[in-house]
Amino acid sequence: MAEYQAAERAQGDLTGLHHDLTETVRDSVGRALDAGIAPASAAAAPVVDALTARYAHTFSRPDDADSRHWLLTRLEIAGDPRAERYRHLPAVINGWPVPPSLAPVFTWLTEALRAHTQRQSRVR
């Protein structure tokens, strides 16, 4: 995760932390999970489209297939259980509340993004 972030910064990413974006993802995907929407279903497409548009805006990228593949890489790295453990350790060490797990959110969004990006690629 640290290597990926360092490489992103070396390529000019100066956007910093993205707490608002993370909360938007948590809220949007959380609603989809609560509604029982399967990641590969047609009902997931609007969620994916809204979130990829948000990522594109945040990172000043086009919302296209290349950006979706870039986002898949980011999500796979962020969804690594070791990354989540790393995010939780400072809370444990400092006696802060441990943040809720993002694993279900990242898993759902990764699966949905993969399914809908592949579907888009086949249509074009």
Side-chain angles (χ1 to χ4, degrees), residues 47-89:
V47 177
V48 170
D49 291 344
L51 291 175
T52 57
R54 179 73 188 270
Y55 271 92
H57 175 75
T58 298
F59 289 93
S60 300
R61 299 177 66 101
D63 185 7
D64 59 12
D66 286 342
S67 287
R68 287 179 179 225
H69 288 290
W70 166 84
L71 179 53
L72 270 171
T73 300
R74 284 185 73 86
L75 291 170
E76 288 165 352
I77 291 167
D80 184 313
R82 295 171 297 175
E84 181 152 7
R85 180 73 178 140
Y86 175 79
R87 288 188 294 270
H88 286 186
L89 284 175

